Amino acid sequence: MEGVRAFQPALQTNRTLRELRLYKCELGDDGVRLLADSLVGNTAMGDLYIGYNQITPIGLDDIIRILESTRLKKVDLSFNHRVFGIEASTRRFVRVLSRHEFLKELCLSGC
């Protein structure tokens, strides 16, 4: 989480970065919240890889927030085993996916 906090200002202003890979960074829900705060409204980011980060349904709400405000084409949430633990969050995630105009690839392996 401290790592996300450190580069949060750069993510908030950068409009050229197209891909962000944060596999196995122990983000957890708090790290995903900081990431969402950084990426909301970023229309340049295309691919987000946040697999293996112990994300739960609390973090899923922030992932939904990212999806609702970006033009992501690829999202990898693989091996976040508990991310879909609450039915209401899962339904909301599915609703956002059904309306998302840009998403072409979604990886949920091991969820």
Side-chain angles (χ1 to χ4, degrees):
M1 191 167 97
E2 290 305 314
V4 175
R5 186 174 281 123
F7 64 85
Q8 192 176 25
L11 286 175
Q12 290 171 331
T13 58
N14 188 307
R15 296 297 178 248
T16 57
L17 185 65
R18 302 286 185 251
E19 182 177 304
L20 184 59
R21 292 179 182 261
L22 296 171
Y23 283 118
K24 296 183 181 181
C25 291
E26 299 180 21
L27 292 176
D29 297 330
D30 292 335
V32 171
R33 183 175 307 110
L34 289 175
L35 187 61
D37 292 344
S38 302
L39 294 178
V40 165
N42 183 323
T43 57
M45 184 70 63
D47 303 345
L48 180 62
Y49 301 89
I50 51 175
Y52 297 90
N53 275 296
Q54 299 94 35
I55 301 168
T56 73
I58 293 166
L60 183 60
D61 288 337
D62 289 304
I63 293 166
I64 291 167
R65 197 162 51 107
I66 293 169
L67 285 169
E68 288 176 328
S69 68
T70 63
R71 296 179 179 177
L72 290 175
K73 294 172 186 69
K74 294 181 185 179
V75 174
D76 186 338
L77 297 172
S78 59
F79 296 95
N80 286 292
H81 303 288
R82 299 178 301 151
V83 73
F84 296 113
I86 296 176
E87 187 176 339
S89 294
T90 303
R91 280 196 307 256
R92 187 168 165 234
F93 181 74
V94 170
R95 278 194 307 272
V96 168
L97 289 179
S98 70
R99 295 187 315 257
H100 202 282
E101 298 177 34
F102 302 97
L103 194 64
K104 303 294 182 203
E105 187 175 317
L106 175 65
C107 183
L108 300 173
S109 298
C111 290

